[in-house]
């Protein structure tokens, strides 16, 4: 396919630029397809480099690490999520389709088309995964899946690629960062905590970006531009949740990780990201199974962080189905109200209203796209677009 070959050449050029740059720090992590015995070597405090690099050096039966990328079209009708897992079923708390409990490597893609929900879901187990960290960026290849990602050392650009005959999907999703990276409580600097809630780590490599998606899905062309996010996390989920993760937590690009099973640390959570006028925002509000609340709020404007805090942030459901906290089997709320106290910059108050329900899994996970309205209190109202998710792992009262 000519388009794919052209994009492949572009990705090769990006990789060549990475290789030729003068870089302060390089590290390579190779994951075998199975869990290891013993304790995991896990990072929860940041260093000067390696923001998007692996945080779990050895993955045992209770730990996990994953990289998440998403893109949403400006009209909210198209949504694509890529997730790359180094996580066993016992760490996620949910089995991965077609894989034994001790298998840890999986790459997934989820897409929604106009007027449809969960239009395409594809998951492929990998035989090996290699993640090369350069500066703060990372590039990863999940062998045998045809999927991977390429990132620059300064986190300014990422390309996620897929060439999967088994799924019938080829193409790329690229992102150009619009907002600085951050950790749960502050900017991307050394000695920051990376713990977003007890037992769960999070690094937000690309809180907001301009995305370009160019995919061929079994002969159907999927192309759009829009807003994008990437993060990573440490910790545990169900098979269809493989596609869900990621989203959250989601900004266009992020990473999550943990040393104890995800469902042992998380009772509920709301996470999302969006663009509101000139502002890029990311929110997170979660409860542990014993009702301990953890929050994180991020606001940037014109490429500069206005606030990156793990306090003074509240996210609550609004409209229909707005019971709080959410419990297993409940329907998702119509919207969310997000408040972030930015100190001398004022308080950001935003209402998110759902337009499309992109993903629903077992009554415990929902991902939605929709509109944003709000802004800094006392200033003119702004409008925008967002993607958010909800986990409901608490039993009904």
């Amino acid at each position: 396919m000519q388009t794919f070959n052209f994009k492949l050449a572009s990705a090769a050029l990006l990789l060549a630029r990475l290789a030729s740059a003068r870089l302060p720090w390089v590290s390579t992590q190779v994951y075998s397809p199975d869990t290891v015995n013993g304790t995991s070597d896990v990072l929860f405090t940041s260093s000067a480099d390696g923001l998007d690099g692996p945080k779990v050096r050895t993955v045992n039966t209770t730990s996990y690490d994953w990289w998440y990328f998403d893109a949403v079209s400006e009209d909210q009708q198209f949504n694509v999520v890529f997730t790359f897992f180094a996580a066993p079923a016992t760490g996620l708390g949910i089995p991965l389709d077609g894989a034994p409990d001790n298998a840890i490597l999986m790459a997934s893609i989820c897409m929604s088309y106009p007027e449809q929900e969960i239009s395409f879901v594809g998951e492929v187990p990998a035989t090996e995964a290699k993640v090369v960290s350069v500066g703060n960026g990372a590039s990863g290849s999940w062998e045998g899946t045809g999927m991977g990602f390429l990132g620059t050392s300064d986190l300014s650009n990422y390309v996620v690629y897929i060439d999967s005959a088994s799924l019938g999907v080829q193409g790329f999703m690229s992102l150009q960062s619009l907002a600085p990276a951050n950790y749960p409580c502050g900017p991307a600097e050394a000695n920051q905590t990376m713990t977003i809630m007890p037992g769960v780590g999070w690094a937000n490599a690309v809180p907001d970006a301009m995305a370009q998606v160019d995919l061929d899905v079994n002969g159907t062309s999927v192309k759009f531009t829009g807003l994008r996010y990437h993060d990573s996390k440490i910790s545990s989920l169900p098979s269809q949740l493989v596609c869900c993760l990621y989203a959250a937590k989601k900004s266009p690009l992020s990473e999550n990780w943990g040393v104890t099973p995800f469902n042992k640390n998380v009772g509920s959570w709301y996470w999302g990201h969006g663009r509101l006028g000139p502002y890029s925002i990311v929110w997170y509000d979660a409860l542990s199974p014993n009702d301990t609340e953890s929050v994180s709020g991020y606001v940037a404007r014109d490429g500069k962080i206005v606030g990156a805090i793990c306090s003074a942030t509240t996210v609550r459901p609004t409209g229909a189905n707005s019971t709080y906290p959410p419990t297993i089997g409940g329907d998702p709320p119509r919207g969310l109200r997000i408040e972030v106290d930015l100190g001398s910059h004022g308080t950001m108050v935003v209402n998110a209203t759902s337009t499309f329900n992109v993903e629903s899994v077992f009554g415990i996970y929902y991902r939605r796209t929709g509109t944003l309205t709000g802004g800094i209190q006392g200033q003119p109202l702004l409008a925008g677009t967002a993607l958010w998710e909800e986990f409901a792992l608490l039993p009904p009262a």
Side-chain angles (χ1 to χ4, degrees):
M1 184 173 76
Q2 277 190 326
T3 299
F4 177 72
N5 290 337
F6 173 77
K7 294 292 185 180
L8 187 60
S10 298
L13 178 60
L14 173 61
L15 189 59
R17 289 174 178 171
L18 281 173
S20 64
R22 292 177 60 86
L23 301 168
W25 182 81
V26 178
S27 178
T28 300
Q29 173 74 36
V30 177
Y31 293 101
S32 64
D34 301 321
T35 56
V36 300
N37 295 322
T39 59
S40 286
D41 180 10
V42 182
L43 301 175
F44 283 106
T45 301
S46 69
S47 61
D49 298 291
L51 182 145
D52 202 28
K55 307 303 188 301
V56 181
R57 294 296 180 179
T58 53
V59 179
N60 63 15
T61 58
T62 63
S63 59
Y64 60 89
D65 204 341
W66 80 72
W67 287 258
Y68 167 95
F69 301 78
D70 74 42
V72 183
S73 65
E74 293 177 357
D75 62 7
Q76 306 147 50
Q77 294 195 47
F78 288 92
N79 169 241
V80 178
V81 173
F82 284 92
T83 310
F84 297 88
F85 287 93
T90 49
L92 293 177
I94 296 169
L96 302 178
D97 276 350
D101 286 350
N102 65 332
I104 70 170
L105 301 179
M106 181 80 73
S108 71
I109 177 174
C110 292
M111 289 180 283
S112 62
Y113 296 147
E115 309 283 334
Q116 299 182 33
E117 297 178 0
I118 316 307
S119 300
F120 182 90
V121 176
E123 302 164 1
V124 184
T127 57
E128 181 181 88
K130 179 184 290 186
V131 180
V132 179
S133 304
V134 183
N136 273 316
S139 298
S141 174
W142 265 241
E143 299 299 328
T145 69
M147 287 185 263
F149 56 91
L150 303 167
T152 57
S153 62
D154 61 357
L155 305 172
S156 60
N157 290 276
Y158 270 81
V159 174
V160 183
Y161 62 85
I162 180 169
D163 185 8
S164 173
S166 62
L167 298 179
V169 183
Q170 292 180 319
F172 281 82
M173 178 167 73
S174 66
L175 71 88
Q176 182 177 2
S177 179
L178 298 175
N182 70 290
Y183 294 112
C185 301
E189 298 174 350
N191 299 315
Q192 290 278 342
T193 180
M194 297 188 289
T195 300
I196 196 164
M197 67 184 303
V200 180
W202 180 67
N204 194 4
V206 183
D208 190 16
M210 283 303 300
Q212 181 174 359
V213 175
D214 187 349
L215 297 169
D216 184 288
V217 184
N218 292 312
T220 298
S221 178
V222 178
K223 295 183 180 182
F224 66 85
T225 59
L227 120 103
R228 184 162 175 216
Y229 173 98
H230 163 53
D231 70 10
S232 61
K233 301 174 181 66
I234 320 169
S235 257
S236 72
L237 288 175
S239 58
Q240 285 94 335
L241 278 183
V242 168
C243 284
C244 305
L245 285 178
Y246 249 96
K249 280 130 232 52
K250 315 160 197 119
S251 313
L253 186 166
S254 63
E255 180 188 355
N256 281 88
W257 64 95
V259 290
T260 55
F262 185 84
N263 59 349
K264 301 298 183 183
N265 293 320
V266 179
S268 70
W269 85 18
Y270 299 109
W271 165 91
H273 69 94
R275 191 177 304 148
L276 182 70
Y279 293 100
S280 302
I281 62 174
V282 182
W283 63 86
Y284 176 88
D285 192 331
L287 290 176
S288 68
N290 66 2
D291 291 337
T292 299
E293 188 171 15
S294 300
V295 301
S296 180
Y298 173 93
V299 178
R301 177 171 181 165
D302 300 327
K304 296 182 180 180
I305 295 177
V306 179
I309 56 176
C310 52
S311 62
T313 299
T314 304
V315 182
R316 291 294 184 267
T318 59
N321 308 314
S322 57
T323 300
Y324 180 84
T327 57
I328 296 171
D331 291 325
R334 181 75 174 92
L336 299 172
R337 179 179 173 88
I338 303 107
E339 296 188 18
V340 183
D341 187 342
L342 300 169
S344 62
H345 297 285
T347 300
M348 174 73 74
V349 180
V350 180
N351 289 302
T353 303
S354 173
T355 304
F356 293 100
N357 185 30
V358 179
E359 179 90 63
S360 300
V361 181
F362 305 147
I364 63 174
Y365 177 88
Y366 301 96
R367 185 166 73 247
R368 318 200 86 177
T369 59
T371 59
L372 296 178
T373 57
I376 302 295
Q377 280 187 327
Q379 298 184 14
L381 288 177
L382 303 169
T385 301
L387 178 150
W388 63 92
E389 69 180 5
E390 170 193 312
F391 279 100
L393 302 176
L394 297 170

